[in-house]
Each structure stands twice: as C-alpha cells, then as structure tokens.
Amino acid sequence: MSMTLDPAVRELLARSAPAEAPAGPPPTAAELRAAFDAAWRRPESVEPVASVTDHQVPGGVRVRLYLPESSTPVPVFVWIHGGGWTIGSIDENEVASRAVCNAAKVAVAAVDYRLAPEHPFPAAPDDCYGVVDWLAAGGAGPAVNPARIAIGGESAGGNLSTVVSMMSRDRGGPRLAAQVLVCPVYAHPDDGFASYADYAEGFGMTAGAMRFFFEQYVTDPAQLDDPYLLPLRAADLTGLPPALVMTAEYDVLRDEGEEFARRLAATGTPVELTRYTGQIHGFYGLYTDLPASPRSHAQVAGYLRAVFKDA
C-alpha cells in the first residue's frame, strides 16, 4: 500500500523542480557534473570526528579516512558514493560519513573512484576492490583493524558494494563482514520493474537519468549480462556478506533493491530490508536536511555496531 510523500520531501521537490525543460541537446557528463557540483553545498557545520585525512592508494585512487575517538584499532566501513558511476565525489557524503563514524565507532573510508564515461565499466569496481585490498593489507595505518571490514554505498555505490563483495568472494580476497546497500542499482531500466514506471518522473531521480548513466558506464550492451555490472544477472549469490538493504518508497530503483534482498535472503544470507516510506532517492546521503536522513544514519550505525560486535 502506497504511503504519501513526506511533507519535507514534497517541499524539497517543489524547491528543486525546474520551471521548464532546458532547450537544446541533452547535457554531457561534464556539464552534468558541473551542475551537480554547483547545486550541492557542503553544510555550514559538520559533526566533528577525531581526524579526517586523505590517502592515495596504489594505482592513484584517493580515499578519505574518517576516524572516531578510540584508544584501540577500530573496524573500517568502506563507503562508495552514488552518482550513476558518472557524477559525485567523496565530498558529497560528509554528513553521513561523520555521523556513522562517531555513532558506530568505526573508521569510514570514502572512495573517490574513477568516473564514466572517461573511465567506463569496469574501472569503478576495480578501483573500489583495490581500496579494500589496500585496507586489508594495513594501508590505513595502526588506527584501523585490517581484519574487520564492511562495505556500503548509495545508488551506484550500493551496486559497487555488492560487486566488490562478489569479486572478493570469487578471488579469495579480503573477508567482508557486511554490506550496507542504500537505494542500490541492480537492474537496467528495461528490466520491467514497476517502480521504474510508477516513479519515472517527478521524484528527483528519473528513469531518463538512469538511462543516461547507463549510456556513460556501459560501452557494450553485452556487458549488461555481466554480474559484476548488474548483480541481479548473477546465477549465484551464495557466499556474500550479510546485508542491510534500505530502499525509498518513491524511487525508480526501489523494486530492484527489494528483489535483490529477497534473492540474497533465499541463499541463507542474513538480510535486513527497510523501505523508507514517503522518501525519495538520495534521502540518506544527499538530502541530509530531511528528517529521515539522520534516522537512516542511526540505523546504519546500529547495524555496523551489531555486525562488528559479532565478528
């Protein structure tokens, strides 16, 4: 049964709705990035953490490491930002990263992976897997426990989190304690999920935007059958880490995220699924003024505390 839009979401959409569609050709990825960067504003005040440092991983990927106050090594939560593999950066999730760092008492390692179309599939998963390897080898230093790693992300970052989990399983790589998957991408717009039709326009993330992102990321349609691109195409979902899956009611990606949660649970993997009613795509990491945003950060922190307590 459909709920109604959160009043705060309705107000956000009213403020951000364009007066009319721009004339001319569709924007390029570079133009879209510039528009996103111009629209996004870092909050005037952010929650303090013990330290924030940037690191260069072998291969050139930048990682921003948030550390909580602790006298002993802490677990690490790898965080992968969204943006359709095409836009966004580690700067956009400052609020969520700091909140989870403090509340869960974990390090947060935000990954600045390469973006499409300049760096199409599989550059992004390769970069993110490399960061996990670097952390497991002790690259973050003595403040971080390299044997206790979880991974998570929003939208394309959720996709990449599961892909890295699959890569680690398949390659005998570092053991991941859990995946946190916020409004993840697991299917193509043509795969027939009802939420793509129900929320195609008018709720922030559009079906057209998702098509644009796939056009940037995918260079050969045959790649759409690669489970490292779309995990719902995987024949085998066994052996993956436990998962927290969070979806938004008014999101084109809602149904595929929930279908993935069901399929993963069917393998015997522990899965927690939460649908945030009345919410839109981006409620977790982008639209942090929404009342649901801090609630979702608290849920993630609680989940990670439980995971690492049991690990």
Side-chain angles (χ1 to χ4, degrees), residues 25-35 86-87 116-118 212-213 216:
T28 64
E31 290 168 341
L32 200 60
R33 276 181 214 139
T86 303
I87 63 176
E118 296 88 348
F212 174 84
F213 291 139
Q216 311 312 302

Side-chain angles (χ1 to χ4, degrees), residues 13-29:
L13 291 172
R15 288 198 312 267
S16 59
E20 59 184 47
T28 64

Side-chain angles (χ1 to χ4, degrees), residues 9-303:
V9 171
R10 189 179 296 111
E11 182 182 335
L12 169 70
L13 291 172
R15 288 198 312 267
S16 59
E20 59 184 47
T28 64
E31 290 168 341
L32 200 60
R33 276 181 214 139
F36 179 83
D37 292 343
W40 182 83
R41 290 288 183 270
R42 186 176 188 266
E44 291 183 6
S45 62
V46 290
E47 186 175 335
V49 296
S51 69
V52 182
T53 52
D54 281 8
H55 303 260
Q56 203 82 4
V57 174
V61 179
R62 183 170 59 127
V63 174
R64 181 163 295 160
L65 187 70
Y66 302 82
L67 289 176
E69 294 287 352
S70 177
S71 58
T72 58
V74 294
V76 58
F77 179 44
V78 179
W79 178 256
I80 308 174
H81 70 80
W85 311 281
T86 303
I87 63 176
S89 75
I90 55 177
D91 295 325
E92 74 188 49
N93 293 148
E94 282 272 328
V95 171
S97 293
R98 289 167 178 267
V100 170
C101 173
N102 282 332
K105 290 290 184 273
V106 297
V108 175
V111 184
D112 207 21
Y113 57 91
R114 290 173 292 170
L115 299 176
E118 296 88 348
H119 305 283
F121 175 82
D126 285 346
D127 285 354
C128 296
Y129 184 79
V131 169
V132 170
D133 256 349
W134 174 77
L135 290 166
V144 174
N145 185 335
R148 307 181 80 197
I149 304 174
I151 194 167
E154 185 170 31
S155 194
N159 166 281
L160 292 168
S161 298
T162 293
V163 170
V164 170
S165 298
M166 296 168 73
M167 294 168 76
S168 192
R169 174 199 66 182
D170 297 344
R171 299 176 183 181
R175 176 185 173 273
L176 298 173
Q179 332 170 53
V180 174
L181 311 166
V182 185
C183 300
V185 184
Y186 288 133
H188 188 269
D190 290 335
D191 284 352
F193 286 102
S195 56
Y196 254 102
D198 293 343
Y199 310 115
E201 293 185 357
F203 299 95
M205 173 62 73
T206 66
M210 284 306 306
R211 288 185 182 280
F212 174 84
F213 291 139
F214 272 100
E215 289 166 3
Q216 311 312 302
Y217 189 49
V218 179
T219 57
D220 179 351
Q223 292 174 326
L224 293 172
D225 289 325
D226 190 329
Y228 286 176
L229 198 152
L230 291 178
L232 272 179
R233 307 290 170 93
D236 181 13
L237 292 177
T238 61
L240 296 181
L244 169 63
V245 182
M246 302 161 71
T247 63
E249 182 183 12
Y250 292 89
D251 182 11
V252 291
L253 303 180
R254 184 195 72 193
D255 290 354
E256 64 201 65
E258 295 178 2
E259 174 65 13
F260 178 82
R262 286 188 287 270
R263 290 194 195 178
L264 186 61
T267 71
T269 300
V271 176
E272 295 183 21
L273 171 62
T274 302
R275 177 189 290 184
Y276 274 73
T277 56
Q279 301 306 311
I280 58 171
H281 194 85
F283 74 90
Y284 177 87
L286 282 183
Y287 307 128
T288 52
D289 289 337
L290 293 175
S293 191
R295 294 202 306 270
S296 67
H297 304 159
Q299 182 181 7
V300 169
Y303 179 76

